[in-house]
Structures are given as C-alpha cells and as structure tokens.
Amino acid sequence: AAEYKERLTKVEKVLGDRTIDNTMAGAVRRLEEFYKYKTDDKNVLLAAQLSLESLFNNLAMRLAHHKRPEFVPPSGVTLKDVEAALKHLEQVEQERSVALHAELNRQIKLVELNGQHATLSQNLMAWGAEKEAFLRKKELIESVSAAQLHLRLLDAFDKEAEAAKQTNVKRLQDLGAYLAAERYEHVSSVREREVAVHATFDTLGKLSAAKRPDLDDSLAREVHKEKVRLMFRQHTEKNEALNQWIKESASYLTARELILLTSEAHVHLSLLQQFENEKVSMNDTAVAELKSLGKAIITAKYSTKYSQWEFEHPEEILARAKSADDEWVRLAELSAEKKRVLDDHMRREDLNEKTMVVFQQHTDRYRNLERWISSKEAY
C-alpha cells in the first residue's frame, strides 16, 4: 500500500504539471500521452488497487478464521486511505483532462485566428499590388475632364486606403496582438505579414503623394491648353471676320461705278475716303488685335518639371498675320487705282460741266446775234 501510494503521488505530480509547450504539436502530444496514461497506466493502477484490496481481504479472512486479532494497517495506508488517494488522483486526472483539452482548443483557436490573419494579409497584399499598379501607371491625359477624372480616382483611392487602415489593417493588428499575447508558436510569421502589409501601405502612401502633383500639373496644363485653344478659336473668328471685310473691301475697290455728274464723283470720292478711314481703323483694331492675340498664343508656353506644352501650329498663326499684311498692301493698291479712276471721272465731268457752260454762253450769243440779224434784215 505504501508503494502504491508513492506511485500515485508520482503520477499526481505528472498529472499536476500545468506547463504547456504553447504549440499545437505539443498540445496534441500531451493529450495523446494523457490518453495513453488512461488506457495503459490507469488500468495498471486500478488493477493494483484491486490486488491490494484482495490481499487485505484474504489476510483479514485468514486472521478471522484463526481467531486472531484484526489487522489494522498503519495510518495513511488503510484501504480508505488508498481509495481516497486514488479518488484524489482521479480528480487531478479530471483537472488535467480539462486543462489539456482547453489548451488544445486554445491552440485550435490560435491556428484559426492565424489562418484569418494570413487570409486577411493576403487579401490586403493583393489589394495593395493592384493599387500599386494603378499608382505607378502614367496616364496619357489630353483633356481637362480626363485630368479631373484621374484626380477623382486618386481621391477615391486615398479614401479607400484610409478606410482599409481603419478596418482591415486594424483587424489585422488586433489579431496579431492577440496571437502575440497568447504566445502563438508562429508569431514571427504573423509579425512578418504585418510588416509586409505596413510596408505596402507606406509604399502606396508615397506613390499617391508622388502621383498627385503630377495629376495636378496635368490638370493645370490642360486648363492652360484649353485657354490657349479658346484664344485660337477667337483668333480664327477674328481672322475670318477680317478676311470677310477684306473680301468685301476688295469687291468694293474693284467695282467701277457709272458716274455722269461731278456731284456723283464727289460722293464716290468721299466714300473712298471713308473706306480709307475705316481701313486705318481696321488696321489699328482688328489687325492689331489679330497679331497681338497670335503673339499671345505662340508665347503661351507651359513648362514645369512634370510636363511641357506649346501651341502645335504656330506657322498657321504667322501665316494669318502675313496674309493680313499682304492683303493690306493689295487693298492699298486697289484703293489707289480706284482713286485714279474716280479722279479721272471728276476731271472729265468737271470739264464737261465747264464746256456746257461755255456752250450755253455760245448759244445765248448765237440767239442774240440771230435776233439782231432778223431785225436788221427786216429793216
């Protein structure tokens, strides 16, 4: 009985060991060892107890048969003491069972949480790779609307990234913190995943910060281009209006009016002078504005460290200015020719009127002479 109790004490010490390996393999191994104890050592202990009871009962029967005093075992090794020791062992065993299963369940939970951590990390890394490709892409922006669209997309990414930090990344950190607090066996892998995720978000933040000024520059450039192209449309409209005036003026200057009176010649010379005045005014306004606007278009160059742009067809602007100068020379020649013609009309009609005056005087004198002859003839 003393040896049996000593053996129970040793088993209790083993069962009372509450240290854990803090690994899934360790939890499984210890549980397997516990079940092996249940199937092997426990049966031996129960058999030993039965053998001890049998031995005691046999001894008691033989003493009684020979009418000898009852055998009283020393304190601590009576059947009741042995039974109490075994009962205490079973209590320790139950506690050990609960502890081992609790540890196994804890390890299972940690494995599950690690799986969630790994999945969440993979999803974040995949999302990060997709967004990194978006942020590294250099878009071909050729309009204000396109620049505004890409800036809105970048704003949407910044909001999405911030939301991801507040939700998924925080969830990842919380899982990692719990696994670390529980001393999860593969916590180093957990930390590596978190470091990778944080590095990805840091990279995304830097790429976004670098992309924004480029897109802002694209927007500013496209706004500048729109402004210059609007100026070019205005230049085109002014050029068309000027060409129309030149066409009408050329038509007027090449027209040859039928002039039969000096007053008519005076009127047309006055009209020609009005045209000359209008031509001077057009040169000071329309032509000057056309050239000034053309110069503004050609010199309106956009240049930053991100991009450069200048008006694509400066030769067209220069050609319009040269055409205006050439047309002004042609109009001057046509005007000079028209003035020569009108001056000729003026001289002719002036001579005609003077001649008519002389002719009238001649007629009057002739009639007076006629009257005088008639009177003399009658006399």
Side-chain angles (χ1 to χ4, degrees):
E3 292 175 0
Y4 181 71
K5 283 195 65 179
E6 184 178 354
R7 185 173 181 181
L8 289 179
T9 301
K10 291 180 179 179
V11 172
E12 278 188 15
K13 287 183 179 180
V14 174
L15 293 177
D17 182 9
R18 293 294 185 265
T19 60
I20 59 174
D21 296 337
N22 207 33
T23 64
M24 174 62 80
V28 171
R29 177 177 54 78
R30 284 182 176 255
L31 199 57
E32 288 175 349
E33 291 174 351
F34 177 73
Y35 282 122
K36 186 176 184 302
Y37 153 77
K38 290 274 288 184
T39 56
D40 296 342
D41 296 347
K42 181 67 178 295
N43 290 334
V44 172
L45 290 173
L46 291 175
Q49 183 197 18
L50 292 175
S51 177
L52 187 62
E53 288 181 355
S54 176
L55 180 62
F56 180 83
N57 291 333
N58 187 32
L59 179 60
M61 182 184 65
R62 294 184 66 178
L63 288 172
H65 179 71
H66 291 284
K67 297 181 181 181
R68 296 186 61 184
E70 178 184 357
F71 170 68
V72 179
S75 176
V77 291
T78 65
L79 290 182
K80 287 185 177 181
D81 293 333
V82 171
E83 183 180 355
L86 185 60
K87 186 175 181 181
H88 184 266
L89 177 66
E90 289 178 344
Q91 181 181 350
V92 173
E93 177 188 307
Q94 180 62 28
E95 293 173 356
R96 180 60 169 165
S97 176
V98 171
L100 289 176
H101 281 91
E103 174 60 15
L104 180 62
N105 291 334
R106 189 178 75 89
Q107 290 296 330
I108 292 173
K109 179 182 179 181
L110 293 178
V111 170
E112 291 176 350
L113 292 177
N114 179 65
Q116 294 177 20
H117 190 278
T119 300
L120 187 56
S121 172
Q122 290 171 1
N123 292 339
L124 286 171
M125 293 298 289
W127 176 85
E130 178 185 347
K131 297 305 179 182
E132 183 173 348
F134 156 71
L135 293 172
R136 289 188 182 278
K137 183 179 179 181
K138 174 69 175 176
E139 292 84 2
L140 178 62
I141 297 176
E142 296 183 339
S143 68
V144 173
S145 59
Q148 291 173 336
L149 170 63
H150 287 292
L151 277 169
R152 287 196 297 270
L153 290 175
L154 185 60
D155 290 338
F157 160 76
D158 287 342
K159 291 180 181 177
E160 186 179 356
E162 185 60 30
K165 289 180 182 178
Q166 298 300 324
T167 56
N168 292 337
V169 175
K170 186 177 184 303
R171 169 63 177 161
L172 188 77
Q173 291 174 331
D174 291 343
L175 285 173
Y178 181 82
L179 291 169
E182 291 294 319
R183 303 186 307 283
Y184 177 59
E185 58 181 312
H186 300 303
V187 72
S188 59
S189 299
V190 173
R191 292 305 183 205
E192 288 175 2
R193 290 195 292 265
E194 290 182 355
V195 168
V197 168
H198 285 302
T200 295
F201 271 81
D202 287 343
T203 299
L204 294 179
K206 292 176 181 178
L207 290 174
S208 175
K211 190 180 185 72
R212 185 168 295 280
D214 187 28
L215 291 178
D216 287 338
D217 175 78
S218 295
L219 178 60
R221 184 190 66 243
E222 293 306 316
V223 168
H224 176 81
K225 287 166 66 176
E226 286 290 331
K227 179 181 177 181
V228 174
R229 285 168 179 163
L230 176 60
M231 293 167 62
F232 179 69
R233 286 195 292 272
Q234 294 172 346
H235 191 273
T236 301
E237 292 171 358
K238 289 179 180 294
N239 185 64
E240 290 175 351
L242 180 62
N243 286 338
Q244 181 63 29
W245 183 86
I246 291 172
K247 180 180 178 182
E248 293 172 356
S249 297
S251 177
Y252 159 70
L253 293 173
T254 54
R256 294 295 178 258
E257 296 82 3
L258 178 61
I259 297 175
L260 300 175
L261 297 171
T262 303
S263 60
E264 291 178 348
H266 276 295
V267 168
H268 285 289
L269 280 170
S270 177
L271 291 174
L272 181 60
Q273 184 58 48
Q274 290 178 17
F275 164 76
E276 286 295 330
N277 294 338
E278 184 181 0
K279 181 167 169 281
V280 171
S281 177
M282 287 293 290
N283 186 63
D284 293 341
T285 56
V287 176
E289 289 174 3
L290 186 75
K291 291 181 178 180
S292 175
L293 187 58
K295 182 179 180 181
I297 293 172
I298 292 175
T299 57
K301 297 180 180 181
Y302 184 88
S303 179
T304 66
K305 68 177 183 179
Y306 297 101
S307 62
Q308 292 79 37
W309 180 86
E310 59 184 355
F311 184 66
E312 301 91 337
H313 306 293
E315 69 283 353
E316 187 171 351
I317 301 292
L318 297 174
R320 289 175 179 179
K322 185 177 183 305
S323 175
D325 290 338
D326 293 343
E327 288 296 326
W328 234 246
V329 173
R330 185 170 74 92
L331 290 178
E333 293 173 350
L334 292 175
S335 178
E337 177 61 22
K338 189 177 184 73
K339 189 172 188 310
R340 283 193 293 270
V341 172
L342 290 176
D343 285 342
D344 179 73
H345 284 313
M346 173 68 79
R347 288 192 299 272
R348 186 194 70 235
E349 292 305 319
D350 187 53
L351 178 61
N352 181 42
E353 288 183 1
K354 288 179 180 179
T355 303
M356 289 302 293
V357 170
V358 174
F359 178 70
Q360 185 63 45
Q361 292 174 352
H362 185 276
T363 300
D364 291 342
R365 290 182 183 224
Y366 173 74
R367 287 174 180 170
N368 290 334
L369 185 58
E370 237 183 5
R371 284 193 298 273
W372 183 83
I373 290 173
S374 294
S375 67
K376 295 305 177 183
E377 214 174 50
Y379 166 75

